[in-house]
């Protein structure tokens, strides 16, 4: 069992930055690749970014490329999502999820949220215009 807890959400003006954290406890954190997803009111949940177990491979949704960066700190059992140049359309609940994958593989952006093995509760990000 892996427990995931997100933090770092909040209210920010357009153009600002936030750093989300996904802290893991339970089974060995390094056994899992991590993905970030978001869901805005009235919209389907969508993939945002993912990182391999090694931290050496990442993937991003086109809508966040160049603005968001995903990274992991294995010593702290934490994955971060640095979000810069935020836009009002980035407003959503952001949730991290853990997937069992080979060491260097990164979850495909097309991999569904439900196919991950563990999920957090989410953190709200609100970007004002």
């Amino acid at each position: 069992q892996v427990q995931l807890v997100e933090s770092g959400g909040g209210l920010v003006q357009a153009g600002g930055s936030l750093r989300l954290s996904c802290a893991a406890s339970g089974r060995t954190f390094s056994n899992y690749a991590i993905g970030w997803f978001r869901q805005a009111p009235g919209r389907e949940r969508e993939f945002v970014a993912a990182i391999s177990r090694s931290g050496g491979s990442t993937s991003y949704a086109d809508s966040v490329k160049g603005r968001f960066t995903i990274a992991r700190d294995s010593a702290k059992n934490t994955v971060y999502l640095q979000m810069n140049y935020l836009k009002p359309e980035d407003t959503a609940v952001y949730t991290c999820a853990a997937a069992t994958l080979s060491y260097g593989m990164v979850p495909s952006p097309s991999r569904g949220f439900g196919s991950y093995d563990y999920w957090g509760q989410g953190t709200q990000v609100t970007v004002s215009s």
Side-chain angles (χ1 to χ4, degrees), residues 1-123:
Q1 190 80 359
V2 173
Q3 292 79 41
L4 302 174
V5 179
E6 302 92 339
S7 62
L11 174 64
V12 64
Q13 289 188 329
S17 299
L18 283 174
R19 188 178 76 161
L20 305 184
S21 298
C22 173
S25 61
R27 290 191 175 181
T28 305
F29 179 61
S30 60
N31 288 347
Y32 299 93
I34 301 295
W36 280 99
F37 291 79
R38 67 185 182 186
Q39 187 169 23
R43 301 188 65 177
E44 292 188 356
R45 183 178 284 112
E46 63 178 358
F47 171 82
V48 176
I51 190 165
S52 64
R53 290 168 56 191
S54 68
S57 296
T58 58
S59 61
Y60 296 93
D62 288 342
S63 59
V64 307
K65 280 181 182 176
R67 299 189 298 123
F68 291 11
T69 302
I70 189 171
R72 68 190 297 157
D73 185 336
S74 295
K76 295 184 178 180
N77 286 351
T78 301
V79 167
Y80 302 101
L81 185 67
Q82 178 67 43
M83 306 186 296
N84 298 327
Y85 306 106
L86 283 161
K87 305 174 181 180
E89 51 264 45
D90 294 319
T91 295
V93 175
Y94 285 71
T95 305
C96 63
T100 304
L101 279 178
S102 298
Y103 189 62
M105 289 188 63
V106 62
S108 167
S110 63
R111 178 170 179 156
F113 181 75
S115 73
Y116 282 67
D117 300 301
Y118 301 99
W119 308 268
Q121 294 298 311
T123 185

